[in-house]
Coordinates of all heavy atoms in Angstrom, one line a residue:
M73 N 3.4 -3.7 5.5 CA 3.8 -4.3 6.7 C 3.4 -3.3 7.9 O 3.0 -3.8 9.0 CB 5.3 -4.6 6.8 CG 5.7 -5.9 6.1 SD 4.8 -7.3 6.7 CE 4.9 -7.2 8.4
A122 N 3.7 -12.3 5.2 CA 4.8 -11.9 6.0 C 4.5 -11.6 7.4 O 5.2 -11.8 8.4 CB 5.4 -10.6 5.3
I126 N 6.1 -14.4 9.5 CA 7.5 -13.9 9.8 C 7.5 -13.0 11.0 O 8.1 -13.2 12.0 CB 8.1 -13.2 8.6 CG1 8.2 -14.2 7.4 CG2 9.5 -12.6 8.9 CD1 8.7 -13.6 6.1
Y127 N 6.7 -11.9 10.9 CA 6.7 -10.9 12.0 C 6.3 -11.5 13.3 O 7.0 -11.4 14.3 CB 5.9 -9.7 11.6 CG 5.8 -8.6 12.7 CD1 6.8 -7.6 12.7 CD2 4.8 -8.6 13.7 CE1 6.8 -6.7 13.7 CE2 4.8 -7.6 14.6 CZ 5.8 -6.7 14.6 OH 5.8 -5.7 15.6
I130 N 8.7 -14.2 14.7 CA 10.0 -13.6 15.3 C 9.7 -12.9 16.6 O 10.4 -13.1 17.6 CB 10.6 -12.6 14.3 CG1 11.1 -13.4 13.1 CG2 11.7 -11.8 15.0 CD1 11.7 -12.5 12.0
I140 N 11.3 -6.1 17.8 CA 10.3 -5.4 16.9 C 11.0 -4.9 15.7 O 10.6 -5.0 14.5 CB 9.6 -4.3 17.6 CG1 8.6 -4.8 18.6 CG2 8.9 -3.3 16.7 CD1 7.9 -3.8 19.4
L141 N 12.2 -4.3 15.9 CA 13.0 -3.7 14.7 C 13.4 -4.9 13.8 O 13.3 -4.8 12.6 CB 14.2 -3.0 15.2 CG 15.0 -2.2 14.2 CD1 14.2 -1.2 13.4 CD2 16.2 -1.5 14.8
L142 N 13.9 -6.0 14.4 CA 14.3 -7.1 13.6 C 13.2 -7.7 12.8 O 13.3 -8.0 11.6 CB 15.0 -8.2 14.5 CG 15.4 -9.5 13.8 CD1 16.5 -9.2 12.8 CD2 15.9 -10.5 14.8
A143 N 12.1 -7.9 13.5 CA 10.9 -8.5 12.9 C 10.3 -7.6 11.8 O 9.9 -8.1 10.7 CB 9.8 -8.8 13.9
S144 N 10.3 -6.3 12.0 CA 9.9 -5.3 11.0 C 10.8 -5.4 9.8 O 10.3 -5.4 8.6 CB 9.8 -3.9 11.6 OG 8.9 -3.9 12.7
M145 N 12.0 -5.4 10.0 CA 13.0 -5.4 8.9 C 12.9 -6.6 8.0 O 12.7 -6.5 6.8 CB 14.4 -5.3 9.5 CG 14.9 -3.9 9.9 SD 15.2 -2.8 8.5 CE 16.6 -3.7 7.7
L146 N 12.9 -7.8 8.7 CA 12.9 -9.0 7.9 C 11.5 -9.2 7.2 O 11.5 -9.6 6.0 CB 13.2 -10.2 8.8 CG 14.6 -10.3 9.3 CD1 14.8 -11.5 10.2 CD2 15.6 -10.4 8.2
S147 N 10.4 -8.9 7.9 CA 9.1 -9.2 7.3 C 8.9 -8.2 6.1 O 8.3 -8.6 5.1 CB 8.0 -9.0 8.3 OG 8.0 -7.8 9.0
A148 N 9.3 -6.9 6.3 CA 9.1 -5.9 5.2 C 10.0 -6.3 4.0 O 9.5 -6.2 2.9 CB 9.5 -4.6 5.7
L149 N 11.2 -6.8 4.3 CA 12.1 -7.2 3.2 C 11.5 -8.4 2.4 O 11.5 -8.4 1.2 CB 13.4 -7.6 3.8 CG 14.6 -7.7 2.8 CD1 14.9 -6.4 2.1 CD2 15.8 -8.2 3.6
V150 N 11.0 -9.4 3.2 CA 10.5 -10.6 2.5 C 9.2 -10.3 1.7 O 9.0 -10.7 0.6 CB 10.2 -11.7 3.5 CG1 9.5 -12.9 2.9 CG2 11.6 -12.2 4.1
A151 N 8.3 -9.4 2.3 CA 7.1 -9.1 1.7 C 7.3 -8.4 0.4 O 6.7 -8.6 -0.6 CB 6.3 -8.2 2.6
L152 N 8.3 -7.5 0.4 CA 8.6 -6.7 -0.9 C 9.2 -7.6 -1.9 O 8.9 -7.5 -3.1 CB 9.6 -5.6 -0.6 CG 9.6 -4.4 -1.6 CD1 8.2 -3.8 -1.7 CD2 10.6 -3.3 -1.2
G188 N 13.6 -2.7 0.0 CA 13.1 -3.4 1.1 C 13.8 -3.0 2.4 O 13.2 -3.0 3.5
G192 N 11.9 -1.6 5.6 CA 12.1 -2.2 6.9 C 12.4 -1.2 8.0 O 11.9 -1.2 9.1

Side-chain angles (χ1 to χ4, degrees):
M73 277 310 307
I126 299 177
Y127 181 85
I130 292 175
I140 286 177
L141 185 59
L142 175 64
S144 299
M145 282 285 299
L146 290 180
S147 56
L149 193 62
V150 171
L152 202 60

